[in-house]
Amino acid sequence: MSAIDLVALAGAHRAEVDRQMTVCNACRYCEGLCAVFPAMELRKTFTAGDLDYLSNLCHNCGACYYDCQYAPPHEFAINVPVAMADLREDTYAAYAWPGAVAPLFRVNGLFIALALVLAVAVFVAGFALMADSDALFRAGIEPGAFYRVMPHNTMVVLFGGAFLFAIISIALSVRRFWRAAGPIPVTLPSLWRAMRDAGSLRYLDGGGTGCNNKGERPDNRRRLYHHLTFYGFLLCLASTTTGTIFHYLLDWPAPYPWWTPVKIFGVTGGIGLVIGPLGLMRERAVRAGVISTGNRGLGAAFLWVLILLGATGLLLTALRATPAMGLLLAVHLGVVFAFFITMPYGKFVHGLYRFAALTRHAHEQITAHGTITDPPRQPLPRTT
Ligand code: SF4
Ligand code: SF4
């Protein structure tokens, strides 16, 4: 898909969300379900930035589809979760920086990620073999054993560079996304409210009854899998940060024993990163074709990379005292590198765009109503 195709697709998806939001704005039956409808009600018409903002405010719980009297086969064909999901995926490419390579990731996200894993794993393994033909297959868990495969400073340059690129690129993308819906101030109350809503995944509750799955009763499994993924990722980040402190402040190089915070955070986080994304893939498959676009596109690529990240980290921890350690470290480093490089172009950014959307929503509600009022919780009768 070329950049021109991508612009045309985003235009078509925006037009569809605009059409559906115009119908919803006249109906307003779902106004208590989530943040999207109160945000929509503050507008009579929608700019492109408004539509992109609303699409990232939607958490795809599915409640408004099952409650809608205008859902297919009605001629209005209202399906807000799918219209929002389609546009949301466009926004990741539309605001990405640098944007020139975004179309490549949009179509080949998983392929590019796997190719990067392989290339970096081969590079690390080759690097180790050239330095010391025995280093890749030698067992050992003494401090510094990992750096026989690749010296610490080389790792810092390679992975620190990739991480720095990801951070700069994502920061510029989020700024573009934020400005597109109109520049408003970021205030402490709106930030605090957004942190609470994001931390509890408040709008994944489907208006109070949980997420809706095709042919199943609403439940909170999708919210649980999101929590496992999100907090699993944060724990892995805490593990890496603690390891850096150990290395530089305590002069204690990796690998670390089981009882250290580095390992406790890493293992619990790794388990979350495997179970959470697997559960989310199951949910996506169950909802496919009705309120989800299924296991394809950037969403699926992102989940696979997270699963690989958790699984290779856990395998490395479990088998680090065996001759498999060198190869497992090379593969795990390949996954980490692929994760960093694909972060700005894949679904990783959805968490940050959604946080920005929640912050904007909180600010708008304070400005409009003088306080942050929760929408009235009004779980509606379900057809499933
Ligand atoms: S989703 Fe359907 S029922 Fe809900 S506000 Fe829109 S048109 Fe009305
Ligand atoms: S799918 Fe859920 S979060 Fe999205 S607009 Fe509908 S009710 Fe709101």
Side-chain angles (χ1 to χ4, degrees), residues 235 238-240 242-244 246 256-257 259-267:
L235 281 167
S239 169
T240 308
T242 319
T244 306
F246 274 33
Y256 301 104
W259 49 267
T260 55
V262 181
K263 279 292 122 197
I264 294 169
F265 292 154
V267 169

Side-chain angles (χ1 to χ4, degrees), residues 182-201:
I184 58 166
V186 180
T187 61
L188 274 180
S190 57
L191 265 181
W192 173 241
R193 175 56 189 241
M195 280 170 66
R196 279 177 46 201
D197 289 345
S200 63
L201 290 175

Side-chain angles (χ1 to χ4, degrees), residues 33-34 36-37 58-64 80-81 203:
L33 289 181
C34 71
V36 169
F37 297 96
C58 169
H59 287 49
N60 199 241
C61 74
C64 60
V80 176
Y203 296 114

Side-chain angles (χ1 to χ4, degrees), residues 1-11 13 86 89-91 93-94 99-109 112 296-298:
M1 190 183 298
S2 70
I4 294 171
D5 293 337
L6 211 60
V7 170
L9 192 64
H13 289 156
D86 283 339
E89 193 144 313
D90 296 338
T91 63
V101 290
L104 271 179
F105 280 82
R106 175 70 191 260
V107 181
N108 307 303
I112 292 174
R296 61 177 173 80
L298 295 175

Side-chain angles (χ1 to χ4, degrees), residues 43 47 49-50 53 95 176-184 360:
R43 294 161 167 81
T47 65
D50 289 337
Y53 154 57
Y95 296 105
R176 291 166 92 168
F177 171 71
W178 178 263
R179 288 183 168 180
I184 58 166
R360 177 177 293 278

Side-chain angles (χ1 to χ4, degrees), residues 192-226:
W192 173 241
R193 175 56 189 241
M195 280 170 66
R196 279 177 46 201
D197 289 345
S200 63
L201 290 175
R202 170 179 166 67
Y203 296 114
L204 265 176
D205 73 351
T209 55
C211 282
N212 288 252
N213 290 331
K214 183 173 62 174
E216 295 181 355
R217 296 198 63 76
D219 60 45
N220 277 311
R221 269 189 317 220
R222 191 161 165 264
R223 197 179 191 186
L224 171 73
Y225 293 137
H226 264 96

